[in-house]
Amino acid sequence: MNTRAGTIAAHGGGSAAAETHAQRTLGFWLYLMSDACIFALLFMTYGIMVGNTDGGPTGKSLFSLSNAAYETALLLVSSTTFGFASLASRDGNRGAVLGWLVLTFVLGAGFVFLEVREFLGLINAGAGPDRSGFLSAFFTLVGTHGVHVSTGLVWIVIMIGQIMAKGLSLPVTSRLFRLGLFWHFLDIAWVGIFSVVYLPGLL
């Protein structure tokens, strides 16, 4: 028996375990599609409500392109670092996986910090979600994405703990793969938010 086959058998019973994790991955894809539907509805709602300012401030007077650009850079780079973690896991390099995951967490935490700071600044300026339909839709859409990123950060911490305790076993790498799908999905969703919310709002 070769080394890889022995590893698979030791960590889950060979093909039966691989089939189980393949089914879980399919289930996670179905979850991501449902999440995509939720974001599509939020984007649609924002598109309908963007002009309903009720005489209040508009995106042009509220949004900061530099802040949005920093957020975008952090999330895009974090997606790249997670990709390196995935590649390292395929090579069985546990130390590299942990290092890239820690860096991904730091970048993601920076993104959440900037988003929370933006929200607090808007609320302190009297532009909270209760000010107008436009701001309600904005806070709901961007806030939902921020909650997803925060959930991803918690998941990264859990994965770091599992890798340290269990190594790169088949169940662990399978979970890491699903986390990667989730994290890259959030990256795509943010590009949509940047393109639909911030850029048009500032032009």
Side-chain angles (χ1 to χ4, degrees):
M1 180 180 292
N2 60 37
T3 303
R4 179 172 178 176
T7 301
I8 292 176
H11 291 303
S15 60
E19 178 65 22
T20 298
H21 293 298
Q23 291 174 356
R24 291 175 180 173
T25 299
L26 175 60
F28 195 76
W29 273 111
L30 295 176
Y31 156 72
L32 284 181
M33 285 190 285
S34 68
D35 225 15
C37 290
I38 292 173
F39 274 103
L41 291 172
L42 293 177
F43 275 112
M44 186 182 302
T45 302
Y46 178 82
I48 294 172
M49 302 296 290
V50 66
N52 296 338
T53 61
D54 192 31
T58 63
K60 188 172 185 178
S61 61
L62 294 175
F63 298 156
S64 167
L65 184 58
S66 61
N67 188 76
Y70 289 141
E71 289 177 299
T72 303
L74 286 171
L75 209 56
L76 288 175
V77 175
S78 76
S79 189
T80 302
T81 57
F82 198 103
F84 284 127
S86 299
L87 292 175
S89 72
R90 294 180 183 179
D91 295 334
N93 190 338
R94 184 170 69 170
V97 174
L98 291 172
W100 287 117
L101 285 180
V102 168
L103 184 54
T104 301
F105 178 89
V106 172
L107 293 168
F111 171 88
V112 172
F113 169 78
L114 291 178
E115 190 165 282
V116 170
R117 187 181 68 174
E118 178 186 28
F119 278 10
L120 292 177
L122 293 175
I123 293 172
N124 291 334
D130 58 340
R131 178 61 184 84
S132 65
F134 154 64
L135 285 168
S136 294
F138 166 77
F139 273 89
T140 302
L141 172 58
V142 181
T144 298
H145 180 269
V147 170
H148 278 70
V149 175
S150 299
T151 301
L153 293 177
V154 173
W155 194 351
I156 288 174
V157 172
I158 293 173
M159 287 306 308
I160 290 173
Q162 289 191 356
I163 292 170
M164 292 177 66
K166 302 179 180 180
L168 296 173
S169 63
L170 178 59
V172 172
T173 55
S174 176
R175 296 181 195 117
L176 184 64
F177 175 74
R178 293 194 292 274
L179 174 56
L181 293 177
F182 181 74
W183 197 258
H184 296 314
F185 168 77
L186 296 181
D187 209 17
I188 295 172
W190 177 256
V191 170
I193 291 173
F194 183 78
S195 303
V196 172
V197 176
Y198 287 99
L199 285 182
L202 288 166
L203 296 178

